[in-house]
Amino acid sequence: MTQPVPTLTLCKKSDVPEDEAIQIEKDDLVLAVYHVDGEFFVTDDLCTHGPGSLSQGYLDGHVIECDFHAGCFDIRSGEVVTPPCMIPIKTYKVTEDPDDVVIEIPRD
Ligand code: FES
């Protein structure tokens, strides 16, 4: 029998303004939580290119621009959109929940 994937509640959906990102520290994770068109997305907060905090960046639709060197990622897939970033950012699956932003924590 397969075990259910562990989940982690990050914040209230109402904590994240529309078209913005906030930083959430939970357990040993530092994450960026984004709110776009009523949907929520979660990535690691630390840019893969350097010390940039993506929750401090500029969100344009589903693209987050790091405010350090202007590299961009697609927050849905984590793929790099604009260099100098080369390594995709880690994304987390957001589960269905009426009030909270809840992610699945895959077992490695
Ligand atoms: Fe994010 Fe360089 S640290 S683009």
Side-chain angles (χ1 to χ4, degrees), residues 51-104:
S53 164
L54 295 180
S55 59
Q56 301 298 309
Y58 308 103
L59 185 62
D60 183 9
H62 293 100
V63 174
I64 184 71
E65 179 183 314
C66 179
D67 68 353
F68 231 79
H69 308 109
C72 296
F73 301 91
D74 188 317
I75 61 172
R76 296 167 293 189
S77 64
E79 290 300 316
V80 173
V81 175
T82 306
C85 308
M86 303 288 285
I87 303 167
I89 196 80
K90 182 173 181 181
T91 60
Y92 296 81
K93 185 174 180 352
V94 178
T95 66
E96 294 284 332
D97 189 281
D99 302 314
D100 298 330
V101 179
V102 182
I103 58 170
E104 292 185 355

Side-chain angles (χ1 to χ4, degrees), residues 35-52:
H35 182 185
V36 180
D37 285 338
E39 278 192 278
F40 294 83
F41 302 88
V42 177
T43 71
D44 280 343
D45 189 50
L46 180 64
C47 182
T48 57
H49 178 255

